[in-house]
């Protein structure tokens, strides 16, 4: 049995196309498309799905505005620019990488990091 992993690279470079082409040539392939943004290998191969389950993909920060003192520490430490200031501090879910730096740095524990479904 052999294992082949196709990973990394800019979007649109052909990783899924290459994987799909190689899969067609293999006897009894077991395939996993782990692309977190756009898993689409199934579009090429029309697989028989044996099992389906919820996937929890890390965490996203959440700020409780009733606790937050607006000290700005979370915004200062967020290297992804995910903290937005409106009437209160909120987290841009698309920008948050779930690193938890804001969670650890919040002096009043106003930030939680629930599982991201």
């Amino acid at each position: 049995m052999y294992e082949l992993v196709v990973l990394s690279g800019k979007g649109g470079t052909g990783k899924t196309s290459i994987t799909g082409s190689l899969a067609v040539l293999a006897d009894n392939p077991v395939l996993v498309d782990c692309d977190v943004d756009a898993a689409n290998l199934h579009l090429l191969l029309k697989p028989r799905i044996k099992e389906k389950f919820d996937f929890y993909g890390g965490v996203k920060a959440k700020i409780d505005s009733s606790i937050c003192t607006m000290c700005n520490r979370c915004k200062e430490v967020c290297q992804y620019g995910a903290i937005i200031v409106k009437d209160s501090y909120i987290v841009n879910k698309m920008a948050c990488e779930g690193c938890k730096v804001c969670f650890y740095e919040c002096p009043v524990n106003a930030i939680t990091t629930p599982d991201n479904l």
Side-chain angles (χ1 to χ4, degrees), residues 72-79 81 83-85 89 102:
N72 205 43
R73 183 68 184 145
C74 57
K75 189 168 175 55
E76 290 170 354
V77 298
C78 181
Q79 64 180 340
I83 309 297
I84 302 168
V85 184
Y89 282 52
C102 59

Side-chain angles (χ1 to χ4, degrees), residues 30-69:
V30 175
L31 305 169
V32 179
D33 189 345
C34 296
D35 189 322
V36 296
D37 294 320
N40 55 15
L41 186 59
H42 67 283
L43 298 174
L44 289 175
L45 301 177
K46 310 267 189 267
R48 179 173 43 92
I49 298 172
K50 292 184 175 183
E51 185 179 353
K52 210 173 192 181
F53 53 91
D54 288 338
F55 172 76
Y56 293 87
V59 297
K60 299 288 182 180
K62 181 174 174 143
I63 301 172
D64 184 339
S65 60
S66 69
I67 300 171
C68 178
T69 60

Side-chain angles (χ1 to χ4, degrees), residues 18-29 45:
I18 291 293
T19 302
S21 298
L22 292 171
V24 171
L25 299 173
D27 293 326
N28 277 337
L45 301 177

Side-chain angles (χ1 to χ4, degrees), residues 77-99:
V77 298
C78 181
Q79 64 180 340
Y80 302 104
I83 309 297
I84 302 168
V85 184
K86 297 225 176 185
D87 293 334
S88 61
Y89 282 52
I90 58 173
V91 177
N92 176 343
K93 299 287 184 195
M94 295 300 290
C96 179
E97 291 288 327
C99 69

